[in-house]
Amino acid sequence: MRGISWRRADLRAAGIRTGLTWKLSAAIALVGALVAIALSLVVHNAARVSMLDNARDLANENIQTAQRNYELSGRRSIPNIKIDAPDLPEPLRAKVEQGRRATYVSDTPGGPDIWAAVPAKDGRVLSLRTGFTDRSADILKDLDQALVIGSIAVVLGGSALGVLIGGQMSRRLRRVATAAGQVAKGETDVRVRDAVGGVVRDETDDLARAVDAMADALRQRLEAERRVTADIAHELRTPVTGLLTAAELLPPGRPTELVLDRAKAMRTLVEDVLEVARLDGASERAELQDIMLGEFITRRVAAKDPDIEVRVVHESEVTTDPRRLERVLFNLLANAARHGRPPVEVTVEGRVIRVRDHGPGFPEALLAEGPSRFRTGSSDRAGRGHGLGLTIAAGQARVLGARLTFRNVRPAGAPEDVPAEGAVAVLWLPEHAPTNTGSYPMLP
């Protein structure tokens, strides 16, 4: 048992997966094999017992005939009849001594022997010994061969049936998983039940309907939360603007500077929350223009912070929304300046933009799950801000049809526990820009 548990643990550690098709096929084949073996044993034993019973009946008839002839003529009319045989089996001898006619089967290495014995009137014992005939043995052999062939056919047929049924079920479950993954990615028009299809109704349909119901409930809840968040942020804009205006009217001094600083921070937070709510609503559309990416990034970074180095490896012309691209770029630079350490480097290579700092790197939660609002990560790369900068950057990248990835820089071959030497955010602009409806053009 200890060895079996160890092997199972190894399989789990290796992440070995077996499909439902093969599990079901193996289960059906195993059950079919067990049933075939059990039936074969039953049929074999029943056939053997039937043949032995027939042989005993025949021996009983022969010994009766021999008894009548012996008592009438005093001679043995059948050559195999013995009188007072010394090798008569003891159980059979005991029956005969009781004055009864009996038959007996003895097992020998060459096959079973059928005995029949009867007491004569003169007190002597007549006995007949016959072996299991070759014809009966051949019949049993042919029967066993037919049973083996039938068992193999049952196992193969059960395996094929398992592959057929399991394959169909597996395909339906894969469709459910694929559709559920699309729903998880935010494709709200995907219905799991429609993706499964089929005429037959089974538990897979119940699962698909349950996933659709869950997705609808979550979608409604998220939409309600988004609306509440947007309404709260929108309602806060007026008092925050009034607070900022009133603070600007205060007499100069350190208290006034503190009030203005907090009021501006609050206004920025309100604007960020409104932007996140708009991005969550999936109603934002890109306003596309043709720009030279390297030149655009160089000018924007120079206007933002002249100390940041921009390196254009390969210039390219792209179709994108300059305002949203600038928003993504500035948020990445602000995150690098706030949580990383200089120097901050920007590299443009074709349609790919990289922003690197030399700080402690991104937290593991961000690398595993992506940006999350109001979570700034671990204490060595956080503690300031509200975690909305990268969330907005990821949302704007989605509107552009781009992909935003994050990774940490470590020495080549260094293990994961070695501290990072910097963080890199990479923006991958698409080859084909989205249309003004948010969809993508069909490729030729």
Side-chain angles (χ1 to χ4, degrees):
M1 292 299 294
R2 188 175 301 172
I4 293 175
S5 301
W6 177 76
R7 283 191 289 272
R8 287 176 179 170
D10 279 354
L11 290 176
R12 286 195 296 267
I16 296 177
R17 296 178 56 193
T18 54
L20 179 63
T21 301
W22 301 113
K23 289 181 179 178
L24 187 59
S25 176
I28 293 179
L30 179 60
V31 173
L34 294 177
V35 172
I37 292 174
L39 289 178
S40 298
L41 292 176
V42 170
V43 171
H44 174 85
N45 291 331
R48 186 175 183 273
V49 169
S50 177
M51 290 181 180
L52 289 175
D53 288 343
N54 292 333
R56 294 175 72 168
D57 292 341
L58 180 60
N60 188 40
E61 293 176 0
N62 290 336
I63 199 65
Q64 291 184 62
T65 302
Q67 180 188 13
R68 287 193 299 268
N69 293 336
Y70 177 77
E71 292 177 347
L72 290 175
S73 63
R75 292 180 302 174
R76 293 174 292 177
S77 59
I78 300 177
N80 293 333
I81 294 294
K82 294 182 179 180
I83 301 176
D84 294 332
D87 55 347
L88 194 67
E90 290 300 325
L92 184 59
R93 185 184 300 277
K95 295 290 185 181
V96 173
E97 289 176 352
Q98 297 175 6
R100 299 168 59 184
R101 184 179 68 253
T103 59
Y104 181 78
V105 177
S106 62
D107 291 326
T108 60
D113 287 338
I114 295 89
W115 289 82
V118 63
K121 289 182 179 180
D122 58 1
R124 308 184 76 174
V125 176
L126 301 179
S127 61
L128 173 65
R129 178 183 181 181
T130 57
F132 204 53
T133 62
D134 293 338
R135 183 171 180 275
S136 299
D138 292 340
I139 292 175
L140 271 182
K141 185 177 180 181
D142 293 340
L143 178 62
D144 290 340
Q145 185 177 1
L147 290 174
V148 170
I149 296 175
S151 300
I152 294 175
V154 168
V155 172
L156 293 179
S159 301
L161 182 62
V163 170
L164 180 63
I165 298 175
Q168 183 179 6
M169 187 178 300
S170 179
R171 284 192 298 272
R172 291 169 65 84
L173 290 176
R174 285 196 181 97
R175 291 172 187 168
V176 171
T178 301
Q182 293 175 342
V183 172
K185 292 178 181 178
E187 299 183 20
T188 57
D189 57 338
V190 175
R191 304 297 296 176
V192 179
R193 178 61 193 88
D194 295 338
V196 173
V199 179
V200 180
R201 297 292 183 262
D202 55 16
E203 288 79 0
T204 309
D205 299 271
D206 298 336
L207 174 62
R209 292 190 180 92
V211 173
D212 286 336
M214 180 184 67
D216 292 339
L218 290 176
R219 192 179 301 117
Q220 293 172 4
R221 179 175 298 181
L222 291 175
E223 179 63 20
E225 292 178 357
R226 186 191 68 81
R227 289 179 180 177
V228 170
T229 302
D231 292 343
I232 292 175
H234 187 271
E235 293 299 326
L236 285 175
R237 293 181 71 179
T238 300
V240 169
T241 302
L243 178 63
L244 185 60
T245 303
E248 292 175 347
L249 299 176
L250 294 175
R254 182 59 181 167
T256 301
E257 293 178 0
L258 293 176
V259 172
L260 280 173
D261 179 68
R262 293 299 87 195
K264 290 179 180 178
M266 186 177 296
R267 182 179 64 179
T268 301
L269 175 60
V270 170
E271 295 295 337
D272 287 347
V273 171
L274 276 174
E275 186 171 359
V276 169
R278 289 195 299 268
L279 292 172
D280 286 345
S283 59
E284 296 288 285
R285 296 292 180 263
E287 298 178 2
L288 304 178
Q289 296 181 20
D290 293 333
I291 61 172
M292 301 302 296
L293 185 60
E295 178 186 352
F296 176 83
I297 298 298
T298 302
R299 285 190 288 106
R300 291 299 188 272
V301 172
K304 178 72 173 178
D305 188 350
D307 295 333
I308 297 178
E309 177 187 357
V310 179
R311 187 163 62 96
V312 180
V313 178
H314 175 65
E315 180 66 281
S316 64
E317 182 179 3
V318 298
T319 302
T320 188
D321 187 330
R323 181 182 64 84
R324 297 184 188 277
L325 178 59
E326 180 180 337
R327 179 68 161 150
V328 175
L329 176 64
F330 283 0
N331 280 19
L332 296 179
L333 293 176
N335 183 79
R338 181 179 296 116
H339 302 298
R341 285 196 292 266
V344 177
E345 302 169 353
V346 179
T347 305
V348 180
E349 184 175 358
R351 297 175 177 271
V352 180
I353 304 169
R354 294 179 177 86
V355 177
R356 179 190 175 180
D357 62 58
H358 291 74
F362 291 113
E364 294 301 325
L366 185 144
L367 296 177
E369 304 172 11
S372 180
R373 65 197 68 178
F374 300 109
R375 185 178 67 186
T376 56
S378 59
S379 58
D380 56 354
R381 190 184 166 87
R384 297 162 300 194
H386 303 280
L388 294 178
L390 293 182
T391 303
I392 292 174
Q396 295 290 6
R398 249 188 338 265
V399 177
L400 295 176
R403 183 164 56 97
L404 184 59
T405 61
F406 306 91
R407 65 180 178 87
N408 291 333
V409 180
R410 287 186 173 87
E416 292 295 327
D417 56 350
V418 174
E421 297 180 345
V424 181
V426 185
L427 180 66
W428 311 74
L429 291 177
E431 183 177 357
H432 296 274
T435 65
N436 56 4
T437 62
S439 61
Y440 290 85
M442 297 295 293
L443 299 179

